[in-house]
Amino acid sequence: MKILVINGPNLNMLGIREREIYGERSYAELCAFIEGACAEEGAECSIFQSNHEGAIVDRIQAAFGTEDAIVINPAAYTHTSVAILDALRAVALPAVEVHLSRLAEREDFRRVSYTSLACEKTIDGLGFEGYRAAIRYLTRERKEK
Ligand code: DQA
């Protein structure tokens, strides 16, 4: 199984940005964690990060016919982007939304997620482990259903 993992704006600043919320570990450490979690499940993975909405839309479209599933942390675009929602719906691949922080415990505007409307599941508040849970869901639990 080929999994595309997409990380949205400012996630490249992990370890620097708001460490009390997002933790001390860097984006490079997150990528190594994701690669390890995919390897554990025997899945191939491709990781993409962008601060630009259109670039994320382009990468989702490029997954059509080449990748089997998507794990996406759209970051701030979660709460605003109809374009990313439409792209996820267009390719219609099984997708899971992940957030490092627990959205319900933060500002009210973070409670709205456009992108989750195209995802089978949303996992938040588990830090890096949320990515492992999303990968496991796509590689194991979903198949067992
Ligand atoms: C985030 C939560 C978003 O609200 C925020 O804009 C982010 C990161 C998370 O992983 O907790 O940039 O997606």
Side-chain angles (χ1 to χ4, degrees), residues 17 22 73 75-76 79 99-101 103 106 110:
R17 74 182 289 215
Y22 299 114
N73 181 347
H79 319 298
H99 299 283
L100 296 162
S101 63
L103 300 181
R106 302 186 63 192
R110 294 186 203 274

Side-chain angles (χ1 to χ4, degrees), residues 96-115:
V96 177
E97 181 167 304
V98 173
H99 299 283
L100 296 162
S101 63
R102 175 95 52 215
L103 300 181
E105 291 171 4
R106 302 186 63 192
E107 302 96 324
D108 284 350
F109 66 82
R110 294 186 203 274
R111 284 167 204 222
V112 174
S113 168
Y114 288 92
T115 46

Side-chain angles (χ1 to χ4, degrees), residues 1-6 43-46 59 63 66-72 88 91-96 120 134-135 137-139 142:
M1 176 180 237
K2 281 192 184 173
I3 301 180
L4 169 63
V5 181
I6 298 177
E44 268 180 59
C45 96
S46 164
R59 186 63 188 87
T66 63
E67 267 129 346
D68 304 306
I70 296 176
V71 173
I72 184 164
L88 290 168
V91 300
L93 291 169
V96 177
E120 292 188 10
I135 291 158
Y137 170 78
L138 290 165
T139 53
R142 199 171 175 275

Side-chain angles (χ1 to χ4, degrees), residues 2-17:
K2 281 192 184 173
I3 301 180
L4 169 63
V5 181
I6 298 177
N7 287 308
N10 301 305
L11 289 168
N12 56 315
M13 297 290 282
L14 284 181
I16 299 166
R17 74 182 289 215

